[in-house]
Amino acid sequence: EPEQTFIMIKPDGVQRGLVAEIIARFERKGFTLRGLKLQNVQQSFAEKHYEDLSSKPFFRGLVQYIVSGPVVAMVWEGKGVVSTGRTIIGATNPAQSAPGTIRGDYAIDIGRNVIHGSDSVESAKKEIHLWFPEGIVQWTSSLH
Ligand code: CMP
């Protein structure tokens, strides 16, 4: 079965008008868009998404950040998309993310790092299930 990952444009990315730019980077790389929605996030839902980080000192601030405005939740598909998606996104800390990556080009603060991408195939499955309980659109391109 084809590999899928969960990608979320965080509130700062939406508010700064980076949605089209971020989608373009995944499309141009050759990945296929399978799910897309703009939504506000409830505090309890943000806590669930980041439950593995609940003991971290930045957890409360992270949850506050994610509920501060709408996010764009997406499912992207393609060969190696979990790992390559994280390469496109860049290192978690924008101070360390390379130019040419999304965070390298658009962020300076680890607490406002624009975008999230699943860190493994296992967490991608979990996150896609959490964010898209309704399932995703099934389609095949007719352009080839
Ligand atoms: P993300 O890829 O969404 O995964 C976990 C998030 O926690 C990360 O991006 C950052 O937004 C946030 N995060 C990780 N480390 C820190 C930190 N030291 N301070 C604040 N936020 C952090």
Side-chain angles (χ1 to χ4, degrees):
E1 80 205 40
E3 186 171 309
Q4 295 181 334
T5 194
F6 173 71
I7 301 290
M8 168 177 58
I9 306 175
K10 297 179 179 179
D12 55 327
V14 174
Q15 288 166 34
R16 291 173 58 199
L18 298 175
V19 172
E21 171 66 30
I22 288 168
I23 290 175
R25 290 180 180 217
F26 280 85
E27 282 189 320
R28 289 177 194 153
K29 180 67 176 169
F31 293 128
T32 304
L33 184 63
R34 290 291 185 199
L36 175 76
K37 59 187 176 183
L38 178 72
Q39 68 171 72
N40 284 308
V41 180
Q42 302 269 341
Q43 182 173 320
S44 57
F45 189 90
E47 287 168 356
K48 176 95 186 131
H49 172 76
Y50 282 122
E51 67 186 357
D52 293 349
L53 300 176
S54 61
S55 63
K56 302 283 186 191
F58 57 81
F59 181 71
R60 281 176 67 91
L62 175 59
V63 169
Q64 264 177 26
Y65 161 43
I66 295 303
V67 305
S68 68
V71 303
V72 173
M74 298 180 281
V75 178
W76 286 91
E77 182 177 295
K79 190 174 170 187
V81 70
V82 171
S83 159
T84 304
R86 284 177 68 87
T87 303
I88 291 171
I89 288 170
T92 302
N93 186 349
Q96 270 127 44
S97 41
T101 66
I102 292 168
R103 288 169 177 159
D105 289 348
Y106 299 117
I108 51 175
D109 185 344
I110 194 169
R112 291 283 181 277
N113 64 356
V114 176
I115 184 167
H116 164 85
S118 307
D119 64 5
S120 67
V121 171
E122 278 325 291
S123 39
K125 286 184 179 151
K126 210 173 132 190
E127 291 171 1
I128 291 167
H129 185 75
L130 177 69
W131 286 81
F132 289 87
E134 70 275 25
I136 55 173
V137 175
Q138 299 302 309
W139 67 285
T140 307
S141 172
S142 54
L143 297 178
H144 46 75

